Amino acid sequence: EAQVTQNPRYLITVTGKKLTVTCSQNMNHEYMSWYRQDPGLGLRQIYYSMNVEVTDKGDVPEGYKVSRKEKRNFPLILESPSPNQTSLYFCASSKPSRGTYEQYFGPGTRLTVT
Amino acid sequence: DQQVKQNSPSLSVQEGRISILNCDYTNSMFDYFLWYKKYPAEGPTFLISISSIKDKNEDGRFTVFLNKSAKHLSLHIVPSQPGDSAVYFCAASRKYNFNKFYFGSGTKLNVKP
């Protein structure tokens, strides 16, 4: 089954404790991206990657890091989480086809930083 | 400042009637637009898209209309079904930069049986 998986689905942590949210896709997609969803703000793009070893900032990259060492994986790293990073996070992937750029989203990771 | 806006946080419609969800954008460089549907505890799923060279795109019960001069797009669902109850996000992208996407804040649609 074609899918994007994220782990963990739920995470409660404390300020300053480094964490990683993993994202993996099995569709051989070149493009992957991370978003955060906050009430009233919709989804905001954090980072994206066009392919292995190619990453770039989205709209809200501060406080986050990413890496793309393999095509299928795109982890999101919070080196020193803060309460304002409490949010719902989505990973997505896509492969341009016939001029469309629809993205396939993972199920989300709800992060709470206390 | 949000470049894509959905000014109606919620919409309630009777089953069988038309649902119209609206989206406005401010960046005239946007030329590719998408709608996603999101159920609780799931990720968004792609619904329909439109390129700026068109003003209408249909897929079954779903039609997206684009008014470039007004920087406005709308999603029509006809007829609406209870299973359509979800949050709908519109998104936009710029020509030659299909890597960055800008989403609206979403509209929660409730279709009453």
Side-chain angles (χ1 to χ4, degrees):
Chain A
E1 180 191 355
Q3 60 182 352
V4 178
T5 56
Q6 295 178 226
N7 283 292
R9 293 289 311 276
Y10 302 91
L11 179 59
I12 300 174
T13 189
V14 296
T15 299
K17 186 176 181 182
K18 180 180 179 180
L19 66 93
T20 299
V21 183
T22 64
C23 173
S24 183
Q25 50 94 4
N26 62 0
M27 295 168 280
N28 201 35
H29 286 168
E30 286 87 14
Y31 176 89
M32 297 186 74
S33 185
W34 275 103
Y35 295 87
R36 59 178 289 174
Q37 182 189 357
D38 301 291
L41 296 175
L43 283 83
R44 293 180 293 166
Q45 196 168 26
I46 302 171
Y47 270 95
Y48 63 91
S49 169
M50 292 298 295
N51 213 323
V52 176
E53 302 292 359
V54 181
T55 63
D56 206 349
K57 297 177 181 178
D59 264 359
V60 288
E62 296 79 19
Y64 304 95
K65 285 176 57 177
V66 293
S67 69
R68 188 91 181 273
K69 293 184 170 55
E70 305 167 282
K71 197 172 188 179
R72 63 182 294 129
N73 296 322
F74 190 43
L76 179 69
I77 303 154
L78 285 72
E79 295 267 2
S80 183
S82 62
N84 65 12
Q85 292 178 298
T86 292
S87 187
L88 179 59
Y89 291 86
F90 290 102
C91 178
S93 72
S94 72
K95 181 172 186 174
S97 172
R98 295 176 294 163
T100 68
Y101 292 83
E102 60 180 273
Q103 293 181 69
Y104 296 81
F105 282 83
T109 295
R110 185 164 293 281
L111 172 65
T112 302
V113 184
T114 61
Chain B
D1 191 30
Q2 279 193 282
Q3 299 186 58
V4 177
K5 296 179 182 178
Q6 295 175 256
N7 292 316
S8 298
S10 63
L11 175 67
S12 188
V13 169
Q14 203 66 39
E15 180 179 7
R17 306 295 291 268
I18 184 172
S19 295
I20 300 177
L21 294 92
N22 294 305
C23 179
D24 297 295
Y25 61 96
T26 58
N27 191 334
S28 58
M29 296 296 289
F30 288 152
D31 68 347
Y32 186 69
F33 305 89
L34 311 93
W35 284 93
Y36 286 86
K37 179 168 73 173
K38 184 184 179 305
Y39 293 118
E42 295 182 12
T45 54
F46 171 74
L47 196 55
I48 192 170
S49 63
I50 188 168
S51 162
S52 61
I53 61 173
K54 294 183 172 182
D55 54 18
K56 177 182 174 182
N57 189 26
E58 283 182 87
D59 185 0
R61 297 186 296 113
F62 302 90
T63 302
V64 56
F65 295 92
L66 176 62
N67 182 334
K68 290 185 288 292
S69 60
K71 296 192 183 68
H72 176 83
L73 63 154
S74 60
L75 175 68
H76 292 211
I77 307 173
V78 184
S80 302
Q81 300 173 353
D84 296 329
S85 297
V87 177
Y88 290 79
F89 292 98
C90 67
S93 182
R94 290 176 57 176
K95 195 173 188 179
Y96 306 123
N97 192 9
F98 287 119
N99 314 313
K100 296 190 76 171
F101 290 87
Y102 300 85
F103 282 76
S105 53
T107 296
K108 186 174 184 179
L109 173 66
N110 179 33
V111 180
K112 297 177 286 186

